[in-house]
Amino acid sequence: MIAQVIVNSSAQELNRIFDYKIPEGYTIGENIDIGYRVLVSFANYKSLEIGYIIGFKETSAFKCKTISKVCDRAFDEKKFELAKLMARRYFCNLSDVLRLLVPPGTSNKIDKINIKYERWVRLTKKYLDYLQGHVEEIKNYKIRSQKHQKVIDFLLDNKEIPIAVLTDFVDVGAPVIKALENKEICESFKMEVLRNPFLNKIVKRTSKLELTKEQENVMNQVEIGKYCEYLLYGVTGSGKTEVYLQIIEKVLDSGKNAIVLVPEISLTPQITDRFLARFGRVIAILHSKLSPGERYDEWRRIQSGEVRIVVGARSALFAPIKDVGIIIIDEEHDSSYKSETTPKYDARDVAREIVKKENAPLVLGSATPDIKSFYRAKQGEIKLLELPNRISSQGMPDVKIIDLREELASGNKSMFSRFLYDEIKKNLENKEQTILFLNRRGYSTFIMCRDCGYVVKCEKCDVAMTYHLTKNKLLCHYCGAEKQNVSICPECGSQNIRYFGTGTQKIEAQINKMFPDASVIRMDIDTTQKKNAHEIILNKFRDEKIDILLGTQMITKGHDFSNVTLVGVLAADSSLNIGDYRASERTFQLLTQVCGRSGRGDKKGRAVIQTYLPDDFSIQMAKESNYLRFYENEIKVREKLNYPPFCDIMVAVISRGKWAKSSRRCKAIFQNF
Ligand code: ADP
Ligand code: ZN
Ligand code: ZN
């Protein structure tokens, strides 16, 4: 028999099937199958290459070599079908997709799989037989030392145990064990250990809450055991997560398993804690901040079947979990669900393909759904579920918009309006906590007049132009138009032109000066480089009752702190000018999410949005937390300008060594459309 093999390479020339003979001793369906990884010698390469078996046939038209080594099984036929679909849809090599399906860290070094071992010890079978009288007296087995006897007694009780634990418990040194080994009374052996990322984590178990009528209603509409796509639109704090937990419980009871995607999971330890607290160790967590070894171990726990729920970032879709009974995508509007590296896929589309095959529901949840998803719901392609009210009787926070132009006119040049200053002071006096959000996307890249709020935009595309320092020019990232940089506002003639972006560090210093007695903790790219840094900062904020949490985008997501009653947005505008047709959508989402961090407990929340563009529709709607009106307006704009969902935008990057070559290639592609 011949195995059809795909070689693990991104080179386009190798994106095809190669034939290899199956070695002696291997039978299809037993120890070799579709999805096995193999090592093969390839062309005149010196080292062996990794390949994936994707099929079999009787004979080959070529004189082919034999597979050098059969390794582990990385995926099954279902996953392979998915991979084929993705390779077609996302224009990439099959091996680029297959790489997602293998255990993390092993796609390029199959022989050096990162397994951690411990030495364990147990009594020998011979000695146990002897104790039971099956074997005649052996002189070695006479025990004179009390220490030896203690070890033996302990092993009789505990059977197998790590040497380190044994020596600790019985209080003997390693030489004692060695001596017993020499007498063939006990034997030590290598035991694989799974690194456990939760090892030092204490999580209190929770039981399910009694659902509100609204939650109950949503629960009842989600049918398990059947393919259907749902969009759960629920305001911040409306109890979406509790609904997820209970639907999953239902799925587990039906014998199936669940996948939950959360955005940038390392930023949101709280949500994983909630899953852990409800379901315990049947959960596996996969995210980028785990060490490669930890990730690999989680992967193997999933493979072993002990895991029922995988919680993770988008790549968790490819975890080897069987019988998927539901996929939930939380904060479905989040941009991290689109992969920007090869293969460039949208997790929501891939999830849909998976649940279709598994006859299972797909639940997309958000307080601020992607315009495209909501449009699909309106068109009847997705079933819309709603949680319009907060669980807390205090309702949504009161939001006030502050016009920074007026502040400036009255001589206040700081980043804090007088109103926000007073509110922070009030919170400090009441011992309530404050979150300050600095919208830093588009850092220093766009230019705005501080007197009238004018932003230089591309006339054709109506998006903000991006400032390029190296050229000292403004560029439109859509059509490539260039403009001279401005130093005087073309609208009002003011010279108060500002390059946008103020660092968090600078603001922290300002806060320290304004409120010398307040404790401040900062969360941004600088303070979160270390592993678990997010979690440490957030725990500190919660447990040590730090007065002010100051941060960038990463503080906007998914946190639930009951003592936070004030959220301040220092400058709302920077995401309005990111040079993207989704700028309004992003701004609305960001502001709604961040304001939604306020007043989640039993105290009423407040939020202050500082802006140079107080009349902007996305800011106004975020103030009202009115997604529906925002949507109605935005969808009209999209239709008029023919932006998605009324068209698809595709970016094709063509790179060749020489300009002439790439230009020719571009033309060829262009003519094909
Ligand atoms: P969301 O995911 O929509 O932001 P959460 O599920 O975090 O909302 O719920 C907000 C808060 O309300 C949480 O503190 C949660 O424990 C609480 N909560 C949710 N559902 C209920 C319920 N049925 N009864 C009581 N408290 C609830
Ligand atoms: Zn343009
Ligand atoms: Zn101006």
Side-chain angles (χ1 to χ4, degrees), residues 209-211 215 237-242 274 391 560 600:
L209 303 171
E210 193 179 327
L211 294 183
Q215 285 173 319
S238 59
K240 293 185 290 297
T241 310
E242 184 63 31
R274 280 173 77 180
I391 295 279
D560 191 26
R600 293 171 74 91

Side-chain angles (χ1 to χ4, degrees), residues 458-463 465 476-481:
C458 173
E459 277 129 39
K460 253 200 326 226
C461 314
D462 197 40
V463 297
M465 297 185 84
C476 170
H477 279 180
Y478 271 88
C479 69

Side-chain angles (χ1 to χ4, degrees), residues 212 214-215 218 232-235 238-240 243 385-389:
T212 62
E214 284 178 345
Q215 285 173 319
V218 166
L232 171 54
Y233 158 57
V235 299
S238 59
K240 293 185 290 297
V243 171
L385 310 171
E386 293 182 68
L387 287 175
N389 299 301

Side-chain angles (χ1 to χ4, degrees), residues 448-455 488-497:
M448 184 162 93
C449 168
R450 282 191 80 173
D451 287 320
C452 73
Y454 172 82
V455 172
I488 293 172
C489 173
E491 282 288 298
C492 72
S494 157
Q495 294 191 8
N496 224 338
I497 295 284

